[in-house]
Every structure is written in C-alpha cells, then in structure tokens.
Coordinates of all heavy atoms in Angstrom, one line a residue:
V1 N 29.2 -21.9 66.0 CA 29.7 -21.3 67.2 C 28.5 -21.3 68.2 O 27.4 -20.8 67.8 CB 30.2 -19.9 66.8 CG1 30.5 -19.2 68.1 CG2 31.2 -19.8 65.9
H2 N 28.8 -21.8 69.3 CA 27.7 -21.9 70.3 C 27.5 -20.7 71.3 O 26.5 -20.3 71.7 CB 27.9 -23.1 71.3 CG 27.8 -24.4 70.6 ND1 26.6 -24.9 70.1 CD2 28.8 -25.3 70.3 CE1 26.9 -26.1 69.5 NE2 28.2 -26.4 69.6
F3 N 28.7 -19.9 71.4 CA 28.8 -18.8 72.2 C 29.2 -17.6 71.4 O 29.8 -17.7 70.4 CB 29.8 -19.0 73.4 CG 29.4 -20.2 74.3 CD1 30.0 -21.3 74.1 CD2 28.4 -20.0 75.2 CE1 29.8 -22.5 75.0 CE2 28.1 -21.0 76.0 CZ 28.7 -22.3 75.9
D4 N 29.0 -16.4 72.0 CA 29.5 -15.2 71.2 C 30.9 -15.2 71.0 O 31.5 -14.8 70.0 CB 29.1 -13.9 71.9 CG 27.6 -13.7 72.0 OD1 26.9 -14.4 71.3 OD2 27.1 -12.9 72.9
L5 N 31.7 -15.7 72.0 CA 33.1 -15.8 72.0 C 33.6 -17.0 72.7 O 33.0 -17.2 73.9 CB 33.7 -14.5 72.5 CG 35.3 -14.5 72.7 CD1 36.0 -14.5 71.3 CD2 35.7 -13.3 73.4
D6 N 34.4 -17.8 72.1 CA 34.9 -19.0 72.9 C 36.3 -19.2 72.6 O 36.9 -19.0 71.6 CB 34.2 -20.2 72.2 CG 34.4 -21.5 72.9 OD1 34.2 -21.6 74.2 OD2 34.9 -22.5 72.2
L7 N 37.0 -19.6 73.7 CA 38.4 -19.9 73.7 C 38.5 -21.4 74.2 O 38.2 -21.6 75.3 CB 39.2 -19.0 74.5 CG 40.7 -19.3 74.7 CD1 41.5 -19.3 73.3 CD2 41.4 -18.3 75.6
T8 N 39.0 -22.3 73.3 CA 39.4 -23.6 73.7 C 40.9 -23.8 73.8 O 41.7 -23.5 72.9 CB 38.9 -24.5 72.7 OG1 37.4 -24.3 72.6 CG2 39.1 -26.0 73.1
A9 N 41.4 -24.4 75.0 CA 42.7 -24.6 75.1 C 42.9 -26.1 75.3 O 42.3 -26.9 76.0 CB 43.4 -24.0 76.5
T10 N 44.0 -26.6 74.5 CA 44.3 -28.1 74.6 C 45.8 -28.2 74.6 O 46.5 -27.3 74.1 CB 43.7 -28.8 73.3 OG1 44.1 -28.2 72.2 CG2 42.1 -28.8 73.3
E11 N 46.2 -29.3 75.0 CA 47.6 -29.6 74.9 C 48.0 -30.5 73.8 O 47.2 -31.6 73.6 CB 48.1 -30.3 76.3 CG 49.6 -30.5 76.2 CD 50.0 -31.5 77.5 OE1 49.2 -31.8 78.3 OE2 51.2 -31.8 77.4
Q12 N 49.0 -30.3 73.1 CA 49.4 -31.1 71.9 C 50.8 -31.1 71.9 O 51.5 -30.1 71.8 CB 48.8 -30.5 70.6 CG 49.2 -31.3 69.5 CD 48.5 -30.8 68.2 OE1 47.7 -29.9 68.2 NE2 49.0 -31.3 67.0
D13 N 51.5 -32.3 72.0 CA 52.9 -32.6 72.1 C 53.6 -31.5 73.0 O 54.6 -30.9 72.7 CB 53.5 -32.4 70.6 CG 52.9 -33.3 69.7 OD1 52.6 -34.5 70.1 OD2 52.6 -32.9 68.5
G14 N 53.1 -31.4 74.2 CA 53.8 -30.6 75.2 C 53.6 -29.1 75.0 O 54.1 -28.3 75.7
S15 N 52.7 -28.7 74.1 CA 52.5 -27.3 73.8 C 51.0 -27.0 74.0 O 50.1 -27.8 73.9 CB 52.8 -26.9 72.4 OG 54.2 -27.0 72.1
L16 N 50.7 -25.7 74.5 CA 49.4 -25.3 74.6 C 48.9 -24.7 73.3 O 49.4 -23.9 72.7 CB 49.3 -24.1 75.7 CG 48.0 -23.6 76.1 CD1 47.1 -24.7 76.7 CD2 48.1 -22.4 77.0
M17 N 47.7 -25.3 72.9 CA 47.1 -24.9 71.6 C 45.9 -24.1 72.0 O 45.0 -24.6 72.7 CB 46.7 -26.1 70.8 CG 47.9 -27.0 70.4 SD 49.3 -26.2 69.5 CE 48.6 -25.8 68.0
L18 N 45.7 -22.9 71.5 CA 44.6 -22.2 71.7 C 43.8 -22.0 70.4 O 44.3 -21.7 69.3 CB 44.9 -20.7 72.3 CG 45.6 -20.7 73.5 CD1 46.1 -19.3 73.9 CD2 45.0 -21.3 74.6
S19 N 42.5 -22.1 70.5 CA 41.6 -22.0 69.4 C 40.4 -21.1 69.7 O 39.7 -21.3 70.6 CB 41.0 -23.4 69.0 OG 40.0 -23.1 68.0
W20 N 40.2 -20.0 69.0 CA 39.3 -19.0 69.1 C 38.2 -19.2 68.2 O 38.4 -19.3 67.0 CB 40.0 -17.5 69.0 CG 41.0 -17.2 69.9 CD1 42.3 -17.6 69.9 CD2 40.7 -16.3 71.1 NE1 43.0 -17.0 71.0 CE2 42.1 -16.4 71.7 CE3 39.8 -15.6 71.6 CZ2 42.3 -15.5 72.8 CZ3 40.1 -14.9 72.8 CH2 41.3 -14.9 73.3
S21 N 36.9 -19.0 68.6 CA 35.7 -19.0 67.7 C 34.9 -17.9 68.2 O 34.8 -17.5 69.4 CB 35.1 -20.4 67.8 OG 34.6 -20.7 69.0
F22 N 34.2 -17.3 67.3 CA 33.3 -16.1 67.6 C 32.4 -15.9 66.5 O 32.5 -16.4 65.5 CB 34.3 -14.8 67.7 CG 35.1 -14.6 66.4 CD1 34.6 -13.6 65.5 CD2 36.3 -15.2 66.2 CE1 35.3 -13.3 64.3 CE2 37.0 -14.9 65.1 CZ 36.5 -14.1 64.1
K23 N 31.3 -15.2 66.9 CA 30.4 -14.7 66.0 C 30.7 -13.6 65.1 O 31.0 -12.5 65.8 CB 29.0 -14.5 66.7 CG 28.4 -15.8 67.3 CD 27.0 -15.5 67.9 CE 26.4 -16.8 68.4 NZ 25.1 -16.6 69.0
A24 N 30.9 -13.7 63.9 CA 31.3 -12.8 63.0 C 30.4 -11.5 63.0 O 30.9 -10.3 62.6 CB 31.5 -13.3 61.7
E25 N 29.2 -11.7 63.3 CA 28.2 -10.5 63.3 C 28.5 -9.6 64.5 O 28.0 -8.5 64.7 CB 26.7 -10.9 63.3 CG 26.3 -11.8 64.3 CD 26.4 -13.3 64.0 OE1 27.2 -13.7 63.2 OE2 25.8 -14.1 64.8
L26 N 29.2 -10.1 65.5 CA 29.5 -9.4 66.8 C 31.0 -8.9 66.8 O 31.2 -8.0 67.5 CB 29.2 -10.3 68.0 CG 27.8 -10.7 68.2 CD1 27.6 -11.7 69.4 CD2 26.8 -9.5 68.3
F27 N 31.9 -9.6 66.3 CA 33.3 -9.3 66.4 C 34.0 -9.2 64.9 O 33.6 -10.1 64.0 CB 34.1 -10.4 67.2 CG 33.6 -10.5 68.6 CD1 32.6 -11.4 68.9 CD2 34.1 -9.7 69.6 CE1 32.2 -11.6 70.2 CE2 33.7 -9.8 70.9 CZ 32.7 -10.7 71.2
E28 N 34.8 -8.4 64.9 CA 35.7 -8.4 63.6 C 36.9 -9.3 63.9 O 37.4 -9.3 65.0 CB 36.2 -7.0 63.3 CG 35.0 -6.1 62.8 CD 35.4 -4.7 62.5 OE1 36.6 -4.5 62.4 OE2 34.6 -3.8 62.3
R29 N 37.4 -9.9 62.9 CA 38.6 -10.8 62.9 C 39.7 -10.0 63.5 O 40.4 -10.7 64.4 CB 39.0 -11.4 61.5 CG 40.1 -12.3 61.6 CD 40.3 -13.0 60.3 NE 41.4 -14.0 60.4 CZ 41.2 -15.2 60.8 NH1 39.9 -15.6 61.0 NH2 42.1 -16.1 60.7
T30 N 40.0 -8.8 63.1 CA 41.1 -8.1 63.7 C 41.0 -7.8 65.2 O 42.0 -7.7 65.9 CB 41.3 -6.7 62.9 OG1 40.0 -6.0 63.0 CG2 41.7 -7.0 61.5
S31 N 39.8 -7.6 65.7 CA 39.5 -7.5 67.1 C 39.9 -8.7 67.8 O 40.6 -8.7 68.9 CB 38.2 -7.1 67.4 OG 37.8 -5.8 66.9
I32 N 39.5 -9.9 67.3 CA 39.9 -11.2 68.0 C 41.4 -11.5 67.8 O 42.0 -12.0 68.8 CB 39.2 -12.4 67.3 CG1 37.6 -12.1 67.4 CG2 39.6 -13.7 67.8 CD1 37.1 -12.0 68.8
E33 N 42.1 -11.0 66.7 CA 43.5 -11.2 66.7 C 44.2 -10.4 67.8 O 45.2 -10.8 68.4 CB 44.0 -10.8 65.3 CG 43.6 -11.9 64.2 CD 43.7 -11.4 62.8 OE1 44.1 -10.1 62.6 OE2 43.6 -12.2 61.9
R34 N 43.7 -9.1 68.0 CA 44.4 -8.3 69.0 C 44.1 -8.8 70.4 O 45.0 -8.8 71.3 CB 43.8 -6.8 69.0 CG 44.5 -6.0 68.0 CD 44.1 -4.5 68.1 NE 42.6 -4.3 68.2 CZ 41.8 -4.1 67.2 NH1 42.4 -4.3 65.8 NH2 40.6 -3.9 67.3
M35 N 42.9 -9.4 70.6 CA 42.6 -10.1 71.9 C 43.5 -11.3 72.1 O 44.0 -11.5 73.1 CB 41.1 -10.5 71.9 CG 40.7 -10.9 73.3 SD 38.9 -11.4 73.3 CE 38.1 -10.1 72.5
A36 N 43.6 -12.1 71.0 CA 44.5 -13.2 71.2 C 45.9 -12.9 71.4 O 46.7 -13.6 72.2 CB 44.4 -14.0 69.8
H37 N 46.4 -11.8 70.8 CA 47.8 -11.3 71.0 C 48.0 -10.9 72.4 O 49.0 -11.2 73.1 CB 48.1 -10.2 70.0 CG 49.5 -9.6 70.1 ND1 50.6 -10.3 69.7 CD2 49.9 -8.5 70.6 CE1 51.7 -9.7 70.0 NE2 51.3 -8.5 70.6
A38 N 47.0 -10.2 73.0 CA 47.1 -9.6 74.3 C 47.0 -10.9 75.3 O 47.8 -11.0 76.3 CB 45.9 -8.7 74.7
Y39 N 46.2 -11.8 75.0 CA 46.2 -13.0 75.9 C 47.5 -13.8 75.9 O 47.9 -14.3 76.8 CB 45.0 -14.0 75.5 CG 44.6 -15.1 76.4 CD1 44.1 -14.8 77.6 CD2 44.9 -16.3 76.0 CE1 43.8 -15.8 78.5 CE2 44.5 -17.4 76.9 CZ 44.0 -17.0 78.1 OH 43.7 -18.1 79.1
A40 N 48.1 -13.9 74.7 CA 49.4 -14.6 74.6 C 50.4 -13.8 75.3 O 51.2 -14.5 76.0 CB 49.8 -14.7 73.0
R41 N 50.4 -12.5 75.3 CA 51.4 -11.8 76.1 C 51.1 -12.0 77.6 O 52.1 -12.1 78.4 CB 51.1 -10.3 75.8 CG 51.7 -9.9 74.4 CD 51.4 -8.4 74.1 NE 52.2 -7.5 74.9 CZ 53.4 -6.9 74.5 NH1 53.8 -7.1 73.3 NH2 54.0 -6.1 75.3
L42 N 49.9 -12.1 78.0 CA 49.6 -12.4 79.4 C 50.2 -13.8 79.8 O 50.8 -13.8 80.8 CB 48.1 -12.3 79.6 CG 47.5 -12.8 81.0 CD1 48.0 -11.8 82.1 CD2 46.0 -12.9 81.0
L43 N 49.8 -14.7 79.0 CA 50.3 -16.1 79.3 C 51.9 -16.1 79.3 O 52.4 -16.9 80.2 CB 49.8 -17.2 78.4 CG 48.2 -17.4 78.4 CD1 47.9 -18.4 77.3 CD2 47.8 -17.9 79.8
D44 N 52.5 -15.5 78.3 CA 53.9 -15.5 78.3 C 54.5 -14.8 79.6 O 55.5 -15.4 80.3 CB 54.4 -14.7 77.1 CG 55.9 -14.8 77.0 OD1 56.5 -15.9 76.8 OD2 56.5 -13.8 77.1
A45 N 53.9 -13.7 80.0 CA 54.4 -13.0 81.3 C 54.2 -13.9 82.5 O 55.0 -14.0 83.4 CB 53.7 -11.8 81.5
L46 N 53.0 -14.6 82.6 CA 52.8 -15.4 83.7 C 53.8 -16.7 83.8 O 54.1 -17.1 84.9 CB 51.3 -16.0 83.7 CG 50.2 -15.0 83.8 CD1 48.9 -15.6 83.5 CD2 50.2 -14.4 85.3
C47 N 54.2 -17.2 82.7 CA 55.1 -18.3 82.7 C 56.5 -17.9 82.9 O 57.3 -18.6 83.7 CB 55.0 -19.0 81.3 SG 53.5 -19.8 81.0
H48 N 56.9 -16.8 82.3 CA 58.3 -16.3 82.5 C 58.6 -15.4 83.6 O 59.7 -15.4 84.1 CB 58.8 -15.7 81.1 CG 58.8 -16.6 80.0 ND1 57.9 -16.8 79.1 CD2 59.8 -17.6 79.8 CE1 58.2 -17.7 78.2 NE2 59.3 -18.3 78.6
R49 N 57.6 -14.7 84.2 CA 57.7 -13.9 85.3 C 56.5 -14.0 86.2 O 55.8 -13.1 86.4 CB 57.8 -12.3 84.7 CG 59.1 -12.3 83.9 CD 59.3 -10.8 83.5 NE 59.6 -10.0 84.7 CZ 59.6 -8.6 84.7 NH1 59.4 -8.0 83.5 NH2 59.9 -8.0 85.7
P50 N 56.4 -15.2 86.9 CA 55.3 -15.4 87.8 C 55.1 -14.4 89.0 O 54.2 -14.3 89.6 CB 55.4 -16.8 88.2 CG 56.9 -17.1 88.0 CD 57.4 -16.2 86.9
D51 N 56.3 -13.7 89.3 CA 56.3 -12.8 90.4 C 55.7 -11.5 90.0 O 55.5 -10.6 90.8 CB 57.6 -12.6 91.0 CG 58.7 -12.3 89.9 OD1 58.5 -12.6 88.8 OD2 59.6 -11.6 90.4
M52 N 55.6 -11.1 88.6 CA 55.0 -9.8 88.1 C 53.7 -9.6 88.5 O 52.8 -10.6 88.4 CB 55.1 -9.8 86.7 CG 54.8 -8.5 86.1 SD 55.0 -8.5 84.3 CE 56.5 -7.8 84.1
A53 N 53.3 -8.5 89.1 CA 51.9 -8.1 89.3 C 51.1 -8.1 88.0 O 51.6 -7.6 87.0 CB 51.8 -6.9 90.1
L54 N 49.9 -8.5 88.0 CA 49.0 -8.5 86.8 C 48.9 -7.2 86.3 O 48.9 -6.9 85.0 CB 47.6 -9.1 87.2 CG 47.6 -10.6 87.3 CD1 46.2 -11.0 87.8 CD2 48.0 -11.4 86.2
R55 N 48.9 -6.1 87.1 CA 48.7 -4.8 86.6 C 49.9 -4.3 85.8 O 49.9 -3.3 85.1 CB 48.4 -3.8 87.7 CG 49.5 -3.6 88.6 CD 49.2 -2.6 89.7 NE 50.3 -2.4 90.7 CZ 50.4 -3.3 91.8 NH1 49.5 -4.2 92.1 NH2 51.5 -3.1 92.6
D56 N 51.1 -5.0 86.0 CA 52.2 -4.6 85.4 C 52.5 -5.2 84.0 O 53.5 -4.9 83.3 CB 53.4 -4.8 86.2 CG 53.4 -3.9 87.4 OD1 52.8 -2.8 87.5 OD2 53.9 -4.2 88.6
I57 N 51.7 -6.3 83.6 CA 51.8 -6.9 82.4 C 51.4 -6.2 81.3 O 50.3 -5.8 81.2 CB 51.1 -8.3 82.5 CG1 51.8 -9.2 83.7 CG2 51.2 -9.0 81.1 CD1 51.0 -10.4 83.9
P58 N 52.3 -5.9 80.3 CA 51.8 -5.1 79.1 C 51.0 -5.9 78.2 O 51.6 -6.8 77.6 CB 53.2 -4.6 78.6 CG 54.2 -5.7 78.9 CD 53.7 -6.2 80.3
L59 N 49.8 -5.6 78.0 CA 49.0 -6.5 77.2 C 49.0 -6.0 75.7 O 48.5 -6.7 74.8 CB 47.6 -6.4 77.7 CG 47.3 -7.1 79.0 CD1 46.0 -7.1 79.5 CD2 47.9 -8.4 79.1
I60 N 49.5 -4.8 75.5 CA 49.5 -4.2 74.1 C 50.9 -3.8 73.8 O 51.7 -3.6 74.8 CB 48.6 -3.0 73.9 CG1 48.9 -1.8 74.9 CG2 47.2 -3.4 74.0 CD1 48.1 -0.6 74.6
D61 N 51.3 -3.8 72.6 CA 52.6 -3.5 72.2 C 52.9 -1.9 72.1 O 51.9 -1.2 72.3 CB 53.1 -4.1 70.8 CG 52.2 -3.8 69.7 OD1 51.7 -2.7 69.7 OD2 52.2 -4.5 68.7
D62 N 54.1 -1.5 71.9 CA 54.4 -0.1 72.0 C 53.7 0.7 71.0 O 53.3 1.9 71.1 CB 55.9 0.1 71.9 CG 56.8 -0.4 73.1 OD1 56.1 -0.6 74.2 OD2 57.9 -0.6 72.9
D63 N 53.6 0.2 69.7 CA 52.8 0.8 68.6 C 51.4 1.1 69.0 O 50.9 2.2 68.9 CB 53.0 0.0 67.4 CG 54.3 0.1 66.8 OD1 55.1 1.0 67.1 OD2 54.7 -0.9 66.0
D64 N 50.7 0.1 69.6 CA 49.3 0.2 70.0 C 49.2 1.2 71.1 O 48.3 2.0 71.2 CB 48.7 -1.1 70.3 CG 48.3 -1.9 69.0 OD1 48.2 -1.4 68.0 OD2 48.2 -3.1 69.2
R65 N 50.1 1.1 72.1 CA 50.2 2.0 73.2 C 50.3 3.4 72.7 O 49.5 4.4 73.1 CB 51.2 1.7 74.1 CG 51.2 2.6 75.4 CD 52.3 2.3 76.4 NE 52.3 0.8 76.7 CZ 51.3 0.2 77.5 NH1 50.4 0.8 78.0 NH2 51.4 -1.1 77.7
A66 N 51.2 3.8 71.7 CA 51.4 5.1 71.2 C 50.2 5.6 70.5 O 49.8 6.7 70.7 CB 52.6 5.0 70.3
L67 N 49.6 4.8 69.8 CA 48.3 5.1 69.1 C 47.2 5.5 70.1 O 46.6 6.5 69.9 CB 47.8 4.0 68.2 CG 46.4 4.3 67.5 CD1 46.5 5.5 66.6 CD2 46.1 3.0 66.8
L68 N 47.0 4.6 71.0 CA 46.0 4.9 72.1 C 46.3 6.2 72.9 O 45.4 7.0 73.1 CB 45.8 3.8 73.0 CG 45.2 2.5 72.4 CD1 45.3 1.3 73.5 CD2 43.7 2.7 72.0
E69 N 47.5 6.3 73.2 CA 47.9 7.6 73.9 C 47.7 8.8 73.1 O 47.2 9.9 73.5 CB 49.4 7.6 74.3 CG 49.5 6.5 75.6 CD 50.9 6.4 75.9 OE1 51.9 6.9 75.2 OE2 51.3 5.7 76.9
S70 N 48.0 8.8 71.7 CA 47.8 9.8 70.8 C 46.3 10.1 70.8 O 45.8 11.3 70.8 CB 48.4 9.5 69.4 OG 48.0 10.5 68.6
L71 N 45.4 9.2 70.7 CA 44.0 9.3 70.5 C 43.5 9.9 71.8 O 42.5 10.8 71.8 CB 43.3 8.0 70.2 CG 43.6 7.5 68.8 CD1 43.1 6.1 68.7 CD2 43.1 8.4 67.7
S72 N 44.0 9.5 73.0 CA 43.4 10.0 74.2 C 43.8 11.5 74.5 O 43.2 12.2 75.1 CB 44.0 9.3 75.3 OG 45.4 9.5 75.6
R73 N 44.9 12.0 73.8 CA 45.3 13.4 73.9 C 44.6 14.2 72.8 O 44.7 15.5 72.7 CB 46.7 13.5 73.7 CG 47.6 13.1 74.9 CD 49.1 13.4 74.8 NE 49.6 12.9 73.6 CZ 50.2 11.7 73.5 NH1 50.3 11.0 74.6 NH2 50.8 11.3 72.4
G74 N 43.9 13.7 71.9 CA 43.1 14.3 70.9 C 43.9 14.7 69.6 O 43.4 15.4 68.8
Q75 N 45.1 14.1 69.6 CA 45.9 14.4 68.4 C 45.3 13.5 67.3 O 44.9 12.4 67.4 CB 47.3 14.1 68.6 CG 48.0 14.9 69.6 CD 49.4 14.4 69.9 OE1 49.9 13.4 69.3 NE2 50.1 15.1 70.9
H76 N 45.3 14.0 66.1 CA 44.7 13.3 64.9 C 45.8 13.1 63.9 O 46.7 14.0 63.5 CB 43.6 14.1 64.3 CG 42.5 14.3 65.3 ND1 41.6 13.3 65.7 CD2 42.1 15.4 66.0 CE1 40.8 13.8 66.5 NE2 41.1 15.1 66.8
S77 N 45.8 12.0 63.3 CA 46.7 11.6 62.1 C 45.7 11.5 61.0 O 44.8 10.7 61.0 CB 47.4 10.4 62.5 OG 48.1 9.9 61.4
P78 N 46.2 12.0 59.8 CA 45.3 11.9 58.6 C 45.2 10.4 58.2 O 44.2 10.0 57.6 CB 46.2 12.6 57.6 CG 47.1 13.6 58.3 CD 47.3 13.0 59.6
A79 N 46.1 9.6 58.5 CA 46.0 8.2 58.2 C 45.0 7.4 58.9 O 44.4 6.5 58.4 CB 47.4 7.5 58.4
F80 N 44.6 7.9 60.1 CA 43.7 7.3 60.8 C 42.3 8.1 60.9 O 41.4 7.8 61.8 CB 44.1 7.0 62.2 CG 45.4 6.1 62.3 CD1 46.7 6.6 62.8 CD2 45.3 4.9 61.9 CE1 47.7 5.9 62.7 CE2 46.5 4.1 61.9 CZ 47.7 4.6 62.3
R81 N 42.2 9.1 60.2 CA 41.1 10.0 60.4 C 39.7 9.3 60.3 O 38.8 9.7 61.1 CB 41.1 11.1 59.3 CG 40.1 12.2 59.5 CD 40.2 13.3 58.4 NE 39.6 12.6 57.2 CZ 40.1 13.0 56.0 NH1 40.9 13.9 55.8 NH2 39.5 12.4 55.0
D82 N 39.6 8.4 59.4 CA 38.3 7.7 59.3 C 38.1 6.4 59.8 O 37.1 5.7 59.8 CB 38.0 7.6 57.8 CG 37.8 8.9 57.0 OD1 37.3 9.9 57.7 OD2 38.2 9.0 55.9
L83 N 39.1 6.0 60.7 CA 39.1 4.8 61.3 C 38.8 4.8 62.8 O 39.1 5.8 63.5 CB 40.5 4.0 61.1 CG 41.0 3.8 59.7 CD1 42.3 3.2 59.8 CD2 40.0 2.9 59.0
T84 N 38.2 3.8 63.3 CA 38.0 3.7 64.8 C 39.2 3.0 65.4 O 40.0 2.3 64.7 CB 36.7 2.9 65.0 OG1 36.8 1.6 64.6 CG2 35.5 3.6 64.4
V85 N 39.3 3.0 66.7 CA 40.3 2.3 67.3 C 40.2 0.9 67.0 O 41.2 0.1 66.9 CB 40.3 2.5 68.8 CG1 41.2 1.8 69.6 CG2 40.6 4.1 69.3
A86 N 39.0 0.3 66.9 CA 38.9 -1.1 66.6 C 39.3 -1.4 65.3 O 39.6 -2.6 65.1 CB 37.3 -1.5 66.8
D87 N 39.4 -0.5 64.3 CA 39.9 -0.8 63.1 C 41.3 -0.9 63.0 O 41.8 -1.5 62.0 CB 39.4 0.3 62.0 CG 38.0 0.4 61.8 OD1 37.3 -0.7 61.8 OD2 37.5 1.5 61.6
Q88 N 42.0 -0.4 64.0 CA 43.5 -0.5 63.9 C 43.9 -1.8 64.1 O 44.5 -2.5 64.6 CB 44.1 0.6 65.1 CG 43.6 1.9 65.0 CD 43.9 2.5 63.7 OE1 45.1 2.5 63.1 NE2 43.0 3.1 62.9

C-alpha cells in the first residue's frame, strides 16, 4: 500500500469496479467497509437522481442513523456499552 487510503476505479465489462486498499495500522476493515458502503450510496444517488442536492443524499442507512442519533442524545444501550462508534 503506497498511501494511507487508496481507491482505484476501473471499468470491466461495462461495470465500475472499485478496489480499496488501506494501511491496516491506521484503519479497521469495518471502517473501510462503512466508507465503501457510503460511497456506493453516493454513486448510486448520483446515477439515479442526478438532480438531488448532495446534502440530501443519505450516506448511512436507517440503522446507523438511529444508532448515531441515540448516541448523540446520550442514551446508552448495554449492547454497545464498551464499543465505540467506529466499532459499530
């Protein structure tokens, strides 16, 4: 890995192929998976709704949004007591 985080996009058989590489000492795999999921949601919205404002594109799903909103209100769940948001 040459960079801390690298995204390579190539075309293959008419499809866009994305390849993520990252330094494991800086990023957890689950963090990169969440980032890749958000990026895929962004690309999907740009392709299917090009008139949508960037600020209106939902980059996280409803479950992640509910978790973040719960954490921002200070509510605690025993299941997540010892985890950080990055661990989710």
Side-chain angles (χ1 to χ4, degrees):
V1 177
H2 296 289
F3 301 102
D4 294 346
L5 176 65
D6 183 57
L7 172 61
T8 302
T10 57
E11 182 190 357
Q12 182 176 347
D13 299 324
S15 295
L16 182 65
M17 305 299 292
L18 301 176
S19 175
W20 297 78
S21 59
F22 59 94
K23 290 189 177 179
E25 61 270 15
L26 299 177
F27 297 96
E28 294 182 9
R29 182 176 187 83
T30 55
S31 297
I32 300 301
E33 289 170 352
R34 277 194 308 278
M35 191 181 313
H37 182 73
Y39 192 68
R41 289 175 68 101
L42 172 66
L43 292 178
D44 185 65
L46 291 173
C47 290
H48 292 98
R49 297 187 61 193
D51 57 329
M52 179 183 266
L54 289 176
R55 70 176 174 273
D56 295 333
I57 297 173
L59 298 180
I60 59 175
D61 62 25
D62 292 339
D63 290 338
D64 284 341
R65 182 178 311 286
L67 174 62
L68 290 172
E69 288 174 355
S70 171
L71 292 171
S72 72
R73 288 190 300 269
Q75 297 176 0
H76 300 283
S77 169
F80 300 116
R81 187 181 72 211
D82 297 327
L83 300 177
T84 66
V85 173
D87 293 329
Q88 303 302 309

